[in-house]
Amino acid sequence: MRARSGKVKPACRGGVPRIEGYPLSAGYDSAWVFENEMGPSALWLAEALSKRMGFVPGMRVLDLGCGRGMSSVFLAREFESRVTAADLWISPDENFRTFAEAGVLDRVFPLRAEAHDLPFASGYFDAIVSIDSYQYYGTDDMYLKYVLRFLRKGGAIGIVVPGLTAEFKSGVPEYLTRRQKSGAVFWDPAECFSFHTPAWWRNHWEKTGLVDVEHAGLIEDGWRLWLSWEEARDGGGFSGFPSDAEAIREDAGKHLGFAVVVGRKR
Ligand SMILES: C[S@@+](CC[C@H](N)C(=O)[O-])C[C@H]1O[C@@H](n2cnc3c(N)ncnc32)[C@H](O)[C@@H]1O
């Protein structure tokens, strides 16, 4: 499972399916979603997280590792958040265009930022979110302390990360390391060792004593959501990156899913 950073124009024969429980995401154009994807639908993941975050209009929100900014557009549109859309790989020039086209420039500010060198005032944000990105830097024991510097006391930090429903008892299953018919190998050890269970994340944050963990759980039927995404990309003729559908289907939620973690700064 490799993060996707290249932009590929979709043929978009099919569309992004409507998923029960994700009514807000259903309001976005499929071609736009496919064009800006960098992994499993950022809109679904942002919507799942938003149910736990208590957003209110006007909040200053940091979207850390926003990629092509779909979650930033989503938070600005759906919750009237004032979003700082920070990313490393995707340039602010590109995201500026995306936000202008989406009509949210008055509420979303594109920025290039490295997660360990953030250019913000202490306590500036009311909330920090990170969608399919925190696993790249946040497994470091010291990172939570660093990023919380930019969150006000009582503010919420929420992440959604690809994760594990259960730890592997006897190594990574063969079907995750095998080459799929699409050509992709799901389990790239250089990245996937950062996948953890919600319990792991809870302990990772609670042991710091810096946050009260309000939620650490799995997205319900997260593997089905993930599979729906891979199948939609296949069905849409979106051939820029090989599909992981085969591995996710075979796993059927035995190990793979999405962890959602929300903490409140003490
Ligand atoms: C898999 S992509 C997900 C992007 C977006 N959140 C989404 O869901 O479409 C991971 C993102 O994390 C960002 N990222 C990884 N390491 C980072 C770091 N050290 N500092 C800032 N962003 C980082 C990358 O730039 C990339 O856009």
Side-chain angles (χ1 to χ4, degrees):
M1 192 236 165
R2 283 210 169 270
R4 301 185 263 262
S5 57
K7 193 160 187 166
V8 181
K9 281 273 177 199
C12 204
R13 285 195 301 274
V16 178
R18 286 171 174 265
I19 306 279
E20 208 186 318
Y22 295 81
L24 302 178
S25 305
Y28 292 74
D29 177 65
S30 290
W32 183 80
V33 175
F34 284 137
E35 189 175 341
N36 289 298
E37 75 119 8
M38 292 178 71
S41 173
L43 294 181
W44 291 341
L45 303 189
E47 187 162 355
L49 180 62
S50 69
K51 293 171 188 164
R52 307 268 172 194
M53 288 293 290
F55 291 123
V56 293
M59 265 180 144
R60 280 197 291 270
V61 179
L62 171 61
D63 187 356
L64 185 57
C66 68
R68 299 190 187 285
M70 285 198 287
S71 51
S72 309
V73 171
F74 178 85
L75 296 175
R77 271 199 192 156
E78 308 299 339
F79 300 100
E80 296 177 42
S81 302
R82 290 182 285 164
V83 185
T84 300
D87 198 69
L88 183 61
W89 304 342
I90 305 301
S91 81
D93 292 343
E94 259 187 73
N95 281 345
F96 175 49
R97 280 193 295 277
T98 302
F99 300 150
E101 284 165 20
V104 295
L105 265 189
D106 57 334
R107 267 170 283 158
V108 186
F109 173 64
L111 182 81
R112 169 101 64 192
E114 209 293 322
H116 301 89
D117 188 19
L118 298 174
F120 308 118
S122 300
Y124 179 75
F125 292 105
D126 299 305
I128 296 175
V129 301
S130 185
I131 309 289
D132 190 10
S133 177
Y134 197 82
Q135 71 274 19
Y136 289 99
Y137 35 84
T139 55
D140 176 348
D141 285 345
M142 301 295 282
Y143 189 74
L144 185 67
K145 179 180 179 197
Y146 172 71
V147 77
L148 284 178
R149 183 191 304 176
F150 307 102
L151 184 65
R152 71 164 167 79
K153 196 174 168 202
I157 177 168
I159 64 170
V160 185
V161 284
L164 299 179
T165 60
E167 301 293 347
F168 300 124
K169 291 216 168 70
S170 45
V172 181
E174 185 274 333
Y175 59 83
L176 293 181
T177 60
R178 175 204 312 151
R179 193 162 296 284
Q180 301 163 76
K181 285 195 190 73
S182 67
V185 174
F186 183 92
W187 193 266
D188 171 4
E191 287 194 3
C192 295
F193 60 70
S194 66
F195 289 11
H196 295 289
T197 61
W200 185 94
W201 282 106
R202 174 183 286 281
N203 177 58
H204 185 58
W205 281 10
E206 276 183 347
K207 70 187 177 187
T208 67
L210 299 173
V211 288
D212 292 312
V213 175
E214 294 184 342
H215 179 78
L218 293 163
I219 291 185
E220 195 182 343
D221 279 339
W223 73 274
R224 288 186 201 277
L225 201 66
W226 200 338
L227 181 59
S228 297
W229 175 253
E230 297 294 327
E231 288 177 345
R233 290 174 72 250
D234 291 348
F238 187 70
S239 56
F241 308 100
S243 166
D244 278 320
E246 190 182 316
I248 296 166
R249 198 177 294 119
E250 185 156 356
D251 183 71
K254 281 197 284 295
H255 297 287
L256 303 177
F258 294 104
V260 180
V261 193
V262 176
R264 197 156 295 275
K265 184 174 173 179
R266 288 187 176 163

